[in-house]
């Protein structure tokens, strides 16, 4: 790019010196750098430029530039922000991806920088930042959308703003109310709780009380009446209307335009565009209906890029287009996967060449003008990292070869010796932090048949079922083995053909790669001189003649591994170095020959991990196009692993499919299909290997090599998102089942499950789970499934008490969530005979002679009393404790209507 640095604002000359956020506000059409204390404070009358600098594992810096437009910003300020963003990109060496953000419609990537949310402030720099008097606190009503990032928008403080589909937050002087629409998802409710905590800390100094109002639920009479009184009394809520903006976001066929100083000129349109149409000296606009991309050739000028930016602004300003459309500007060589997906057969290219070329040119120009270019140079390449933490080495290893529809066990002395015409199943049993864990691997040789692969997967799935879904499952292809798999063996040795074809006098050549247990593999190759490589070691065998040949560029670690392989094969190998071979060595290979390579095989480069959420697509149209949707989660952390969902951690060489305990049964079954769909798209867009290793990891059984990608805490409980965050807000602990205990916890959770079915749980408002289609279940769906919930609770109780279960009993495949911690709606329909019998038995169970402390009687107690009637917890309190908690004597309490009793008990965590 031909760049004149005099055209770049001086505010950007020393930019991007270190990873993190830098924010500028546009003042008098100039960027002014903000102090870090002002980050996250956006005024609706202003425009801002946000730079996110990320240090990649490769040692380079990644730049994302956003310009944010407040809803009241002027058109001139918005244009200045767009132009200044282009200048900032030029100062960064022309390698940043640039995003247009409009207040209320920000991208997930942008919102991920400001957790838990951003709430734009009134006014702007031109108006002197309009302030609200501290002594006057005006109530504000917000709608909170999103399960991953919170999109908080202030709406008119009126009952007409409420609806059944969203979550609302009413911030008043003394209390913060969260109103959960009946059709809102459990993830949205959980995310809104984080916003409530933010408002409590920011606006009230952490002292305001929080009240939860559930749409359609009575709850506390005092709190519910108070909430509706603020809106002038209760009245039915209208349906959520479809706004004009939402109607304008319909997708259309992709259209490609050439843009610049003249009007956009259409180049091509269709479902799959041709990449060769993008010429490096021009700029192009890609219109996909609900989003616009501006592609800038690396040889285009700064003036062309500015003109293309203004052209895009004009393009989306027409009345038929939504003004908040996302506009993403991309420099050639740094295309994001979403952009590349609109083109067929996008070639795999290296970004590093474009990166250093562009950065070098700009840095040289800056240096000539006396500008410090230290911040523009890429970060120092980091040392080669060891793989994520491996499983412990003292476990039990079992290996089976798949022969037709059976498993043939492999003797321990042959563990690690595989044949490429077979498939193998490997089970490694080890002790994790608190329990016995399992790593179940399925390995496919490169010459396996489709039938063998299918049979191997069936057998592995049966083994996983017998392990009660606790095993981490792995699918591996020859040549793409993961470090965790390789570390199970002294060295993986892969021979050609089938086991029966191996003969003692076989002549073969083994190529040995690696320097340690987690990367060592020996592969049989053709016994000819051209198979040699100066950067590797080889074992050559012909009858009794055996050599360990090491190339000139090998080191001592490689040579030690090669000698270890010879020992594992019980071969007496004579070490020789390249260029010192005796004639007998070449005789084994059929004669001396030169011209073999001297370099190692290239491996996939280091990539930073990315996290994706998998779910079924909503809406009939989307479901026809793709049955499920895979969306990226940016700047992720452990809390982003939501128990109601299936997630994919993508490291480019491996895919980790994390399956939440409360995901729907269909999503659990389709977890590996999600991974394959994601892998197919990555192969097409980013050149990922189609044989990448895939892990399936159940929640609660995460191995250390998975948790190493997070700042992991093993103390975090497994519970639905809403319950977990509500407990955190209220300072409560959540009891979860432990599969390794002596049965006490199982009994306690079985009782809790029965209590959940036969009565409403305390402090757990009905929290609908995501269904197959991604939408929350309605209350009627819960009611219709009440008998299934009772059946699941009975199953949990039967398992906990060691009682046999009737063979005729059937349970839904996803009923296990009932017995864990998810709330459910109390059913009004008739119970099954078995459910009624157990309920009667609980009602008639003796209360015992003694009393118990309040903390042990609470539903969520970590040391709960076992064997009591869960519907009469208050009866086990002493008279003094009862009167202190309920503010009345027991006889007065039992004179109250039952629904009032239940309300009081619910507040005290006794129901």
């Amino acid at each position: 790019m031909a760049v004149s640095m005099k055209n770049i604002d001086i505010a950007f000359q020393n930019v991007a010196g270190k990873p993190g956020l830098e924010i500028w506000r546009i003042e008098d059409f100039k960027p002014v750098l903000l102090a870090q204390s002002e980050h996250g404070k956006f005024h609706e009358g202003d425009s801002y430029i946000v730079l996110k600098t990320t240090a990649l594992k490769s040692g380079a810096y990644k730049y994302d530039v956003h310009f944010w437009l407040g809803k009241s910003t002027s058109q001139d300020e918005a244009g200045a922000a767009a132009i200044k963003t282009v200048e900032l990109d030029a100062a960064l060496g022309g390698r940043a991806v640039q995003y247009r953000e409009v207040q209320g419609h920000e991208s997930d990537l942008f919102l991920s920088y400001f957790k838990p949310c951003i709430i734009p402030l009134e006014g702007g720099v031109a108006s002197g930042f309009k302030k609200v008097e501290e002594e006057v606190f005006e109530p504000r009503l917000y709608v909170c959308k999103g399960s991953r990032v919170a999109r908080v928008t202030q709406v008119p403080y009126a009952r007409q703003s409420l609806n059944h589909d969203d979550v609302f937050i009413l911030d008043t002087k003394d209390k913060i109310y969260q109103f959960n629409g009946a059709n809102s998802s459990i993830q949205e409710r959980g995310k809104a709780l984080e916003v409530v905590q933010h408002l409590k800390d920011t606006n009230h100094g952490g002292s305001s009380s929080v009240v939860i109002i559930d749409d359609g639920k009575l709850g506390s009479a005092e709190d519910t009446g108070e909430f509706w009184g603020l809106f002038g009394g209760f009245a039915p809520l209208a349906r959520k209307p479809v706004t004009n903006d939402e109607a304008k976001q319909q997708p259309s066929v992709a259209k490609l335009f050439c843009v610049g100083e003249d009007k956009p000129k259409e180049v091509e349109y269709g479902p799959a565009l041709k990449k060769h149409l993008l010429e490096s000296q021009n700029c192009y606009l890609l219109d996909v209906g609900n989003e616009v991309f501006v592609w800038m050739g690396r040889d285009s000028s700064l003036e062309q890029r500015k003109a293309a930016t203004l052209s895009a602004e004009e393009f989306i300003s027409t009345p038929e287009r939504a003004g908040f459309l996302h506009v993403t500007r991309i420099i050639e060589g740094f295309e994001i996967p979403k952009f590349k997906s609109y083109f067929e057969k996008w070639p795999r290219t290296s970004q590093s060449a474009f990166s250093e070329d562009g950065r070098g040119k700009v840095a040289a120009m800056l240096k000539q003008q006396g500008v410090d270019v230290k911040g523009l140079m890429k970060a120092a390449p980091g040392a080669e990292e060891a793989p994520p933490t491996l499983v412990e080495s003292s476990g039990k290893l079992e290996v089976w070869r798949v022969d037709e529809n059976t498993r043939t066990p492999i003797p321990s002395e042959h563990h690690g010796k595989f044949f490429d015409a077979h498939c193998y199943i490997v089970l490694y049993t080890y002790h994790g932090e608190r329990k016995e864990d399992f790593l179940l691997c399925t390995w496919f040789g490169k010459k396996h048949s489709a039938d063998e692969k299918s049979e191997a997967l069936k057998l592995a799935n049966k083994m996983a079922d017998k392990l009660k879904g606790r095993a981490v499952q792995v699918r591996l292809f020859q040549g793409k083995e993961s470090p965790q798999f390789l570390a199970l063996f002294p060295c993986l040795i892969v021979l050609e053909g089938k086991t029966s074809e191996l003969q003692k006098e076989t002549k073969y050549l083994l190529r040995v790669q690696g320097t340690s247990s987690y990367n060592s593999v020996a592969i049989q190759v053709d016994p000819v001189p051209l198979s040699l490589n100066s950067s590797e070691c080889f074992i050559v065998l012909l009858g009794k003649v055996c050599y360990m040949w090491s190339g000139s560029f090998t080191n001592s670690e490689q040579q030690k591994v090669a000698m270890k392989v010879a020992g594992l094969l019980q071969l007496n190998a004579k070490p020789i170095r390249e260029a010192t071979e005796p004639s007998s060595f070449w005789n084994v290979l059929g004669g001396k020959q030169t011209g073999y390579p001297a370099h190692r095989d290239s491996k996939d480069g280091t990539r930073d991990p990315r996290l994706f959420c998998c779910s079924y697509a909503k809406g009939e149209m989307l479901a026809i196009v793709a049955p499920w949707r895979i969306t990226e989660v940016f700047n992720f952390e452990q809390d982003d692993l939501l128990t109601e969902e299936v997630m994919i951690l993508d490291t480019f060489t491996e895919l980790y499919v994390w399956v939440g305990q409360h995901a729907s049964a269909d999503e659990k079954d389709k977890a590996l299909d999600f991974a394959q769909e994601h892998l197919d798209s990555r192969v097409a867009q980013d050149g990922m290997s189609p044989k990448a290793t895939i892990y399936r990891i159940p929640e609660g059984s995460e191995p250390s090599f998975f948790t190493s990608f997070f700042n992991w805490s093993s103390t975090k409980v497994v519970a639905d998102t809403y319950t977990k965050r509500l407990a955190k807000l209220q300072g409560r602990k959540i009891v979860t089942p432990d599969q390794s205990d002596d049965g006490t916890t199982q009994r306690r959770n079985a009782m809790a499950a029965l209590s959940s079915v036969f009565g409403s749980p305390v402090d757990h408002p009905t929290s609908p789970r995501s269904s197959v289609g991604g939408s929350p279940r309605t209350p009627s769906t819960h009611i219709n499934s009440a008998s299934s919930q009772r059946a699941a609770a009975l199953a949990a109780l039967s398992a906990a008490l060691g009682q046999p279960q009737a063979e005729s009993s059937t349970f839904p495949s996803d009923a296990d969530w009932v017995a864990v911690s998810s709330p459910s709606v109390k059913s009004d329909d008739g119970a099954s005979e078995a459910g009624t019998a157990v309920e009667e038995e609980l009602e008639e169970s003796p209360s015992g002679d003694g009393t118990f402390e309040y903390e042990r009687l609470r539903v969520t107690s970590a040391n709960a009393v076992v064997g009591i009637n869960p519907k009469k917890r208050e009866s086990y309190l002493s008279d003094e404790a009862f009167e202190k908690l309920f503010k009345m004597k027991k006889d007065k309490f039992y004179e109250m209507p039952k629904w009032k009793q239940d309300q009081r008990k619910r507040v005290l965590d006794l129901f």
Side-chain angles (χ1 to χ4, degrees), residues 404-604:
E404 296 182 350
N405 61 349
T406 61
R407 295 178 301 158
T408 302
I410 304 298
S412 58
E413 61 268 23
H414 294 301
H415 285 178
K417 185 188 295 184
F418 290 178
F419 290 82
D420 64 5
H422 285 297
C423 298
Y424 292 82
I425 297 175
V426 178
L427 176 63
Y428 187 68
T429 306
Y430 65 101
H431 288 279
E433 289 189 7
R434 293 170 294 181
K435 62 183 185 303
E436 194 173 51
D437 287 326
F438 308 95
L439 185 65
L440 181 60
C441 311
T442 311
W443 183 89
F444 308 108
K446 67 179 181 180
K447 296 179 182 177
H448 72 273
S449 67
D451 291 340
E452 287 176 325
K453 179 181 178 180
S454 176
E455 203 58 47
L457 291 174
K458 288 180 182 178
L459 292 171
N461 288 335
K462 287 181 180 179
M463 294 178 66
D465 291 340
K466 289 182 179 180
L467 295 171
K468 300 179 180 179
R470 291 172 48 198
V472 173
Q473 293 179 258
V474 194
R475 295 183 180 182
L476 310 106
F477 289 88
Q478 179 182 337
K480 295 295 181 180
E481 295 86 0
S482 67
Q484 291 73 34
F485 179 77
L486 293 176
L488 298 178
F489 311 99
C491 181
L492 180 66
I493 302 172
V494 182
L495 303 173
E496 292 183 345
K498 294 181 176 291
T499 307
S500 59
E501 298 173 1
L502 182 64
Q503 300 176 2
K504 293 182 179 180
E505 64 274 16
T506 299
K507 167 185 173 181
Y508 59 78
L509 179 66
L510 287 179
R511 182 179 65 197
V512 183
Q513 299 172 315
T515 57
S516 63
S517 61
Y518 60 78
N519 63 13
S520 299
V521 58
I523 307 170
Q524 185 176 352
V525 295
D526 292 337
V528 295
L530 290 179
S531 295
L532 298 175
N533 189 310
S534 298
S535 296
E536 295 171 332
C537 296
F538 291 80
I539 294 176
V540 184
L541 174 68
L542 179 59
K544 296 181 179 180
V545 179
C546 184
Y547 296 99
M548 192 286 287
W549 181 89
S550 53
S552 300
F553 302 123
T554 60
N555 55 38
S556 59
E557 286 79 12
Q558 291 174 278
Q559 295 161 18
K560 288 178 182 178
V561 170
M563 291 301 293
K564 182 172 70 173
V565 171
L568 292 172
L569 293 172
Q570 298 181 347
L571 299 174
N572 186 18
K574 180 181 179 180
I576 57 174
R577 292 283 292 176
E578 182 179 6
T580 64
E581 305 91 349
S583 58
S584 57
F585 172 84
W586 294 112
N587 292 336
V588 173
L589 299 180
K592 187 174 182 179
Q593 190 175 351
T594 59
Y596 50 80
H599 57 82
R600 298 181 185 178
D601 293 339
S602 60
K603 295 185 178 181
D604 294 325

Side-chain angles (χ1 to χ4, degrees), residues 722-852:
Y722 181 72
T723 298
K724 186 162 57 176
R725 289 177 179 167
L726 182 59
K728 181 179 179 181
L729 184 65
Q730 296 175 340
R732 295 187 290 105
K733 290 185 178 180
I734 300 176
V735 180
T736 57
D738 186 346
Q739 295 173 318
S740 62
D741 67 4
D742 59 359
T744 302
T745 306
Q746 295 180 17
R747 291 186 178 89
R748 182 167 64 246
N749 284 294
M751 300 300 291
L754 287 170
S755 177
S756 174
V757 174
F758 299 126
S760 302
V762 61
D763 283 339
H764 297 288
T766 303
S767 306
R769 299 170 61 245
S770 297
S771 64
V772 171
S775 303
R777 290 175 177 161
T778 61
S780 61
T781 307
H782 282 289
I783 292 173
N784 292 337
S785 64
S787 59
S788 295
Q789 295 177 16
R790 287 190 174 90
L794 287 170
L797 183 63
S798 176
L801 301 178
Q803 297 174 354
Q805 186 177 309
E807 293 183 1
S808 59
S809 300
T810 57
F811 308 101
S813 57
D814 63 342
D816 59 325
W817 71 273
V818 179
V820 182
S821 61
S822 290
S824 59
V825 178
K826 183 177 180 180
S827 173
D828 294 325
D829 65 351
S832 64
E833 293 182 5
T836 304
V838 173
E839 187 173 13
E840 292 174 353
E841 180 181 348
L842 290 173
E843 289 284 3
E844 296 172 0
S845 60
S847 60
D849 297 328
T851 58
F852 300 95

Side-chain angles (χ1 to χ4, degrees), residues 138-142 154-162 169-172 177 226-232:
E138 293 291 337
R140 291 181 174 85
L141 181 64
Y142 302 96
Q154 186 173 349
V155 294
Y157 176 27
R159 185 175 56 241
Q160 289 77 9
S161 296
L162 303 176
I169 299 173
L170 177 61
D171 188 10
T172 68
Y177 299 85
E226 188 176 64
F227 174 77
W228 289 111
L230 295 172
F231 291 94

Side-chain angles (χ1 to χ4, degrees), residues 164-313:
H164 298 295
D165 299 313
D166 296 316
V167 180
F168 295 83
I169 299 173
L170 177 61
D171 188 10
T172 68
K173 183 178 181 180
D174 300 317
K175 292 183 179 180
I176 302 175
Y177 299 85
Q178 176 169 321
F179 175 81
N180 298 323
N183 297 329
S184 62
S185 72
I186 195 170
Q187 297 96 320
E188 289 174 315
R189 298 180 184 190
K191 180 56 66 173
L193 286 173
E194 293 184 348
V195 179
V196 169
Q197 183 69 62
H198 173 71
L199 292 173
K200 180 179 178 179
D201 296 338
T202 304
N203 296 351
H204 304 275
S207 61
S208 178
S209 59
V210 176
V211 177
I212 305 298
I213 305 296
D214 289 303
D215 185 13
K217 297 295 173 184
L218 186 59
S220 168
E222 180 181 354
D223 291 335
T224 304
E226 188 176 64
F227 174 77
W228 289 111
L230 295 172
F231 291 94
F234 175 79
L237 301 181
R239 291 187 176 183
K240 178 183 177 182
V242 177
T243 65
N244 291 333
D245 286 342
E246 291 171 340
K248 291 178 181 179
Q249 291 191 75
Q250 300 302 321
S252 65
V253 66
K255 296 181 180 180
L256 184 66
F257 300 85
C258 184
V259 292
E261 297 180 2
D262 299 327
K263 291 184 178 181
K265 178 181 179 182
E266 185 172 323
V267 177
E268 187 185 22
Y269 71 92
L273 306 176
K274 306 295 189 301
K275 195 270 178 185
H276 68 82
L277 296 173
L278 301 174
E279 299 176 345
S280 296
Q281 66 272 23
N282 293 325
C283 297
Y284 296 84
L285 185 148
L286 176 63
D287 177 18
V288 297
N290 57 357
E291 189 171 4
V292 171
F293 297 89
V294 177
W295 183 90
M296 303 175 181
R298 64 177 183 273
D299 294 332
S300 61
S301 66
L302 181 60
E303 289 70 25
Q304 282 179 290
R305 298 181 183 186
K306 289 182 178 181
T309 297
L310 293 177
S311 181
E313 291 291 321

